[in-house]
Amino acid sequence: MDYKAMRARIEDMVKDNHRDFVKAMISIENGINDESVLDKLYDAYMDNDSLNLLNEEFDYLIEDLK
């Protein structure tokens, strides 16, 4: 699967079930499998506009590439 197909699938997953998509990403990246913990992390993520799923270092890298 190439980048465009992967991106389209991810966008569909986000549209269909944003909550479970975010929980799955947190679970994969942090090795957390307790769904009650993932629910709390999702709620914290949604309540905090400055919290990102991606490391903030990407923001600096992107600026350097512009």
Side-chain angles (χ1 to χ4, degrees), residues 32-59:
I32 299 168
N33 294 312
D34 184 328
E35 197 156 357
S36 66
V37 171
L38 292 168
D39 283 328
K40 291 174 186 171
L41 290 169
Y42 175 81
D43 291 339
Y45 167 74
M46 292 303 294
D47 289 341
N48 185 343
D49 290 337
S50 65
L51 189 60
N52 297 311
L53 285 178
L54 294 175
N55 186 310
E56 68 182 30
E57 188 67 25
F58 278 111
D59 293 337

Side-chain angles (χ1 to χ4, degrees), residues 9-22:
R9 277 199 186 172
I10 291 170
E11 286 176 340
D12 288 343
M13 287 187 286
V14 170
K15 288 178 195 172
D16 289 343
N17 191 338
H18 184 263
R19 181 181 193 90
D20 283 343
F21 174 81
V22 171

